[in-house]
Amino acid sequence: MRRRTLRPPSAAGRRTALAAAAAALGLVPLGLLPGTPAPRAHADPAADADRQAALVDQEDQRIMQTRSVLAAILQIGGAATAQWKRPQVFGSAQGKTLVLPATGNGRPYTVADLAKYGGQYFRRQGDGSYLLGIHVFVADGAKLLLASGTGPLVLRMGSLPGAFSSIVSFGGTIQIKGTQRNPVQITSWNPRLNAPDRQVADGRAYIRAVGGEFKMDYTKVGDLGFWSGRTGGIALTGTDRPSSATKHLNKEQRHAAKKKRQEQQQNGGNTGGGPGDIETEKPGGTATHVPAADLVTGSISNSTITGDAFGLFVSGSNQTQISGNAILNSLVNGLVMHRFAKNATIANTTVRGSRGDGFVLSRATEKIRVTNCTAEKNGHDGFTLNGRALADGPSASGESLESFGDSSINNSLAKNNGHYGIELLGGDKLSVQNSKVIGGDMGIVVRDAATNVQISGNQLTGQVRQGISLRDGVKDANLAGNTVDGARTGIYMRGSSATLLGNTIKGSTAHGISLVGAAGGSEIRDNTLSGSGTSAVSTSRSHGKVTKEDNNDDGWHDTASLWMKIQRYLTPLNVIWTCVFAVVIFSMIRARNDRQRIGRLGLHPYTLQQPLEKRQVWSLPRRSAQPQPRPMPARPGPMPGPMPGAPAMAGAGAGLGGTPLGAPVPGQPVAGRHVAPPPGGPSASPTVPGNVRRPSVPQHGPQPVAPHSSQTTGPRPVPPPATPPHPTPRGGVQQPQRKGV
């Protein structure tokens, strides 16, 4: 007898076996092509990215086709419609789908119903678990309950390369209910490997609620989802398509819902309303007009989600409650609140080990409260709050230009995340309060023109660069009561304005507080700074009015060099004012008596000035040529006579009374000079010509000309008298009164 040798199956044989397994599960394998490389993890090269995106698009088409076919059948009426109102298996190019329509009595579908209507596509395994090998569609008004009985419910969702199962509700209700002792366990499953499917490049099983309601309590979920948020594992998404939920309510239910909505509106509440309501926001706000029945609602509590693409994805939701969960090792982000998710509460939830961010509040989310949560060892940020507008100009969808906000993080912990602990992007009225941030490149980062941000009561420890950073146009931020320990710079502001009140900075090695760029309107008050570095509060690189008052920097050791200290004050404005003052001082010194009084401080400024009667006097000389005299106005009173000894002159050169022009008139003082006293003393007549003294030659300056010299042009100096002709009275010289003037 010849012994037969067992050989390993060839590649073609493996593909055939894989296709047979998929057919047995009711799944149509996609992409089982020769030479297909082994699937890799998420964020693979472009070929795998295109492949996963195509699978997401095929899933969207399958869901829409299933819903459209079911709606068309139900509108026909008659006996045929009654037959199709029972659970049916629909086939399509994307695989087979078990459709669960609404029941007349409102009774939910259970595991027993899945085994009854799913047939070979929902089988119980030898270990007591169930293997789901078909897509499940929960229609409008239908309910699916997956609950543990006397023992835990273990549901394995078939997931082969290019072919996988899913559970999707469209306006229906999905409830997964375990107990603390017997939690429900749901995971992807590869029957060929007899293990969970950890490859995402070819698609993977997932659970999704589109509108309607989703509840999950005491459940362990693992290794679900791929590529997008809506196929990322556990997804709660709204819909912009019409919902038929109202037709599943009787008259009494509709009246009760209407009464409840009216009471909520009277009380000022805005909770999303109910079927038939239109959820709108004030102009300039979220700019959404979504039928309230098409928003998904639900709760996820006391559950563990491990290894999903997106741990938990929520969008288009209202009043979702997430509490007491652990989301571990997600391939992208841990917990994502996406577009138009609002009024949600996230409490006592831990996200650890995600490759991306831990908690993400994306654009167009509002009024989300994160309380007592932990983000630890995630690859990027621990918490990300994004309040930026959906558009910054005209757009095809006509989105609003207003920002979003009113979300907060309270009493939470961000620990040892790869990038930032907490990041706030744009938005209005975002807040981080009473939280702890340990490690990371930076602790709390606020940027992208966020407004009215509140950062208070937080403790930040062990950041590499900055504890708290405000950048790129942040306005009206308020930082109060925070403690930053060990960061290179405690609080850093660039191109932003804020009020810093009562913060404590410890162990910084560069700056306690540093302001760069436009910081007008900022206030720095009552802060305590200790550490060592070039400055405790650095404002030398900022401009605008910054108020600094009552800051305690006694514990700061200044390590700045002399040149750095000079640079602090060597600003352009200080240089300009220094030059102005230097010019003024130099001009004052130069003007003090032709540079002869430099250094002679303390002297009276008029010490070297001569009295008026001792100054040198100049008189006009006679001219050699006798020009035609100008007519002189007649003076009142008697005309003086000719001087004794002077020849009488007549003709053109004579003045009035025969007195030559320029000659002194007897009895009158020469204009602009003092008459010398007679030799006999002050009692001699000052009008006697012989008593007039000749001027002496000055020692410097212009040389006077002799009275009878041929050079008669120019003034002639007359020396001052040795003593004044008469004493000057205390009240000044009395001026004669003129009459007739």
Side-chain angles (χ1 to χ4, degrees), residues 288-594:
T288 57
H289 305 276
V290 181
D294 297 330
L295 293 173
V296 65
T297 60
S299 63
I300 297 94
S301 59
N302 306 311
S303 299
T304 302
I305 303 173
T306 305
D308 285 10
F310 289 83
L312 181 60
F313 182 87
V314 181
S315 70
S317 68
N318 187 41
Q319 292 188 332
T320 300
Q321 306 294 319
I322 302 171
S323 63
N325 304 288
I327 302 175
L328 310 175
N329 303 324
S330 299
L331 302 183
V332 188
N333 299 322
L335 193 159
V336 180
M337 305 299 290
H338 200 54
R339 302 288 175 82
F340 311 124
K342 57 183 175 179
N343 302 319
T345 299
I346 305 172
N348 304 308
T349 295
T350 298
V351 177
R352 183 183 298 113
S354 299
R355 294 189 185 181
D357 296 338
F359 294 79
V360 180
L361 276 58
S362 300
R363 292 186 294 175
T365 58
E366 294 182 297
K367 299 178 182 179
I368 297 178
R369 304 289 180 261
V370 181
T371 306
N372 295 321
C373 293
T374 300
E376 184 177 2
K377 296 182 180 180
N378 298 287
H380 201 248
D381 296 342
F383 298 84
T384 299
L385 279 66
N386 192 339
R388 293 179 295 184
L390 292 175
D392 55 3
S395 61
S397 57
E399 298 293 350
S400 171
L401 304 183
E402 295 293 327
S403 58
F404 302 86
D406 258 349
S407 297
S408 64
I409 299 175
N410 302 297
N411 302 304
S412 296
L413 171 65
K415 183 177 181 181
N416 298 330
N417 296 284
H419 196 217
Y420 304 149
I422 302 173
E423 184 175 21
L424 279 60
L425 304 171
D428 181 62
K429 297 180 181 179
L430 301 176
S431 65
V432 180
Q433 298 178 340
N434 303 319
S435 297
K436 294 183 179 181
V437 181
I438 301 174
D441 182 43
M442 299 184 190
I444 300 175
V445 177
V446 186
R447 59 187 181 95
D448 287 351
T451 57
N452 299 308
V453 174
Q454 178 74 27
I455 309 294
S456 60
N458 302 288
Q459 299 180 14
L460 301 98
T461 306
Q463 284 71 45
V464 176
R465 287 194 290 169
Q466 299 153 11
I468 301 176
S469 176
L470 277 62
R471 309 195 311 241
D472 306 332
V474 177
K475 295 181 179 179
D476 301 326
N478 190 355
L479 278 65
N482 301 287
T483 301
V484 181
D485 188 358
R488 187 172 182 269
T489 299
I491 299 176
Y492 174 83
M493 292 172 52
R494 184 183 70 194
S496 303
S497 63
T499 298
L500 279 60
L501 179 65
N503 300 285
T504 301
I505 312 298
K506 299 186 294 184
S508 296
T509 57
H511 306 283
I513 299 174
S514 177
L515 276 63
V516 178
S522 297
E523 298 182 6
I524 305 174
R525 304 175 185 271
D526 300 319
N527 300 283
T528 302
L529 305 103
S530 61
S532 62
T534 55
S535 61
V537 179
S538 173
T539 59
S540 60
R541 296 178 293 170
S542 66
H543 55 84
K545 183 179 180 181
V546 177
T547 302
K548 296 187 295 182
E549 293 181 354
D550 302 327
N551 296 292
N552 182 6
D553 58 356
D554 294 341
W556 188 266
H557 175 61
D558 194 345
T559 61
S561 62
L562 177 61
W563 174 241
M564 294 179 66
K565 293 180 180 179
I566 294 174
Q567 285 181 323
R568 293 177 187 174
Y569 304 98
L570 202 63
T571 62
L573 188 60
N574 290 344
V575 172
I576 292 174
W577 279 111
T578 301
C579 294
V580 169
F581 287 130
V583 170
V584 172
I585 295 173
F586 180 77
S587 301
M588 292 173 60
I589 296 175
R590 184 180 178 85
R592 294 174 68 88
N593 198 12
D594 197 18

Side-chain angles (χ1 to χ4, degrees), residues 67 70-71 74 99-103 137-143 169-173 210-212 239 241-248 293-294:
R67 184 177 187 273
L70 180 61
L74 295 178
V99 179
L100 303 177
T103 59
F137 183 89
V138 183
D140 291 347
K143 299 179 181 179
S169 68
F170 206 116
T173 299
V210 184
T239 174
R241 294 179 178 271
S243 175
S244 58
T246 54
K247 70 182 181 182
H248 302 295
D294 297 330

Side-chain angles (χ1 to χ4, degrees), residues 182-196:
N182 297 315
V184 175
Q185 302 177 28
I186 301 176
T187 183
S188 63
W189 194 258
N190 188 332
R192 184 169 176 267
L193 300 177
N194 200 31

